[in-house]
Amino acid sequence: MTESAQKTTHFGFQTVAEEEKAGLVHGVFTRVASRYDLMNDLMSGGVHRVWKDAMMDWLAPQPHQRLLDVAGGTGDIAFRFLGRAPGATAVVCDMTESMLVEGRKRAEADNLAASLDWVVGDGMALPFADNSFDVFTNSFGTRNITRIQDALNEAYRVLKPGGRIMILEFSQMPNPLLQWAYDRYSFNVIPPLGQFVVNDRDSYQYLVESIRKFPDQETFASMIRQAGFEQVKYRNLSLGIAALHSGWKI
C-alpha cells in the first residue's frame, strides 16, 4: 500500500481515504444543488444573508477589483461583490458543475454576465496563474475541502501582492451552553428538513457533522497565517455560529 493510499480524512463523522472525499462531497452538492438556496434560507431563517452582507461590509469591495470566489456555487458572494464595486469582475469557481448551473439560472447572472465567469475547479489546485486576483473569498465551502491547508496555500498563490483573503465559515460558539443548544437544533432539525425539502437526509446529516469537524477560530486563523497571510483577524457572527476570517498577502 502506498503512502498516499494510507492517508485518511473525515467526511462528516466518517473516516475515509483522502482520495474518496472529493467524490463524496461532489455527490452531496450534486444532489442538493436545485434546492440549495432554498435550504440555506430554511436552515438559517434567512440569517445567512445577513452574514454574507457582513462579509461584504468588512471586505469593502473597490471598483475594478478582480474577485475569485472558490466554492462559489450559486453565486451569492460574487453577485454581492459586483453590486458594490463598479467595474469589478469576478470568477466563481466550484468543483460541482451542477451548482454553477444553478447559479447561472439566477436573474443576477444575466445582469452581470459581462463581469462574471463560471469555472469548474478544485480549490486545492486552482486553474489560475499566480498573482491573478485582488480578492479571494470562500463562503461555507472551506470545510468541504479535503486538505484545507493546501487550499489556503493556493489562495495565497493566486492573489496579487496586496490582495486579501476573506473566508466565511461555520465555527464554534465560545459559550458551551449555547453550543449545546445549537447542536441539538442542528442534529435534530436540519437532517429531517433536508429529507422533507430535498428528499435527502444523508447530505444534510453530513453538512451538520462537517461543521463540528472544522477547526475553531484560533486554529483556523493559525492555518491562514501558515499559508503566508499577514494581519489575520476574525470576527464572530451570531455568537460564533459562524465566523469571518480576513488576511492580507503583503
Side-chain angles (χ1 to χ4, degrees):
M1 182 177 290
T2 65
E3 181 181 354
S4 62
Q6 295 173 350
K7 291 182 179 179
T8 60
T9 187
H10 57 81
F11 177 73
F13 290 164
Q14 300 177 50
T15 299
V16 299
E18 274 195 355
E19 60 266 28
E20 295 177 3
K21 181 170 180 176
L24 292 168
V25 170
H26 183 272
V28 166
F29 286 96
T30 298
R31 291 192 296 272
V32 305
S34 64
R35 297 289 183 91
Y36 180 77
D37 292 321
L38 172 62
M39 277 296 295
N40 280 347
D41 281 331
L42 294 174
M43 288 188 299
S44 71
V47 174
H48 77 100
R49 298 176 183 271
V50 177
W51 294 338
K52 291 168 182 174
D53 287 341
M55 184 182 195
M56 289 299 108
D57 289 344
W58 195 12
L59 190 58
Q62 299 299 306
H64 306 293
Q65 285 185 322
R66 183 157 177 79
L67 166 72
L68 174 61
D69 185 37
V70 169
T74 58
D76 264 2
I77 298 304
F79 295 147
R80 283 172 166 79
F81 185 91
L82 294 174
R84 296 197 187 198
T89 57
V91 176
V92 179
C93 180
D94 199 291
M95 65 179 289
T96 306
E97 186 173 9
S98 56
M99 291 287 286
L100 300 176
V101 169
E102 292 301 319
R104 290 192 196 100
K105 292 178 183 177
R106 295 174 59 169
E108 300 99 315
D110 288 337
N111 296 334
L112 298 169
S115 305
L116 185 59
D117 291 315
W118 307 83
V119 175
V120 176
D122 185 344
M124 297 184 298
L126 293 170
F128 308 108
D130 297 357
N131 308 314
S132 298
F133 296 92
D134 301 294
V135 181
F136 176 102
T137 55
N138 188 318
S139 173
F140 300 119
T142 304
R143 71 185 189 282
N144 299 313
I145 295 173
T146 303
R147 296 185 302 278
I148 294 172
Q149 192 64 60
D150 287 358
L152 294 173
N153 295 343
E154 278 289 273
Y156 188 87
R157 179 184 68 79
V158 301
L159 276 173
K160 299 175 183 177
R164 188 178 188 184
I165 185 173
M166 185 166 288
I167 294 177
L168 172 60
E169 189 53 88
F170 290 108
S171 198
Q172 306 298 319
M173 303 179 77
N175 184 304
L177 182 60
L178 291 177
Q179 183 67 52
W180 178 88
Y182 178 58
D183 286 346
R184 301 288 79 70
Y185 163 76
S186 297
F187 283 95
N188 292 303
V189 174
I190 292 177
L193 188 63
Q195 178 65 37
F196 178 74
V197 176
V198 190
N199 195 29
D200 187 351
R201 181 189 182 99
D202 290 346
S203 291
Y204 285 92
Q205 183 71 31
Y206 158 71
L207 290 175
V208 297
E209 290 177 0
S210 69
I211 293 170
R212 275 74 196 172
K213 300 297 291 185
F214 192 72
D216 64 24
Q217 290 89 324
E218 289 292 346
T219 302
F220 188 50
S222 296
M223 295 174 71
I224 296 172
R225 293 186 188 98
Q226 185 177 333
F229 291 99
E230 299 184 32
Q231 298 182 21
V232 176
K233 300 176 182 179
Y234 67 85
R235 294 178 179 178
N236 284 333
L237 303 174
S238 298
L239 303 175
I241 291 176
L244 280 169
H245 280 79
S246 170
W248 296 84
K249 181 177 178 177
I250 298 176

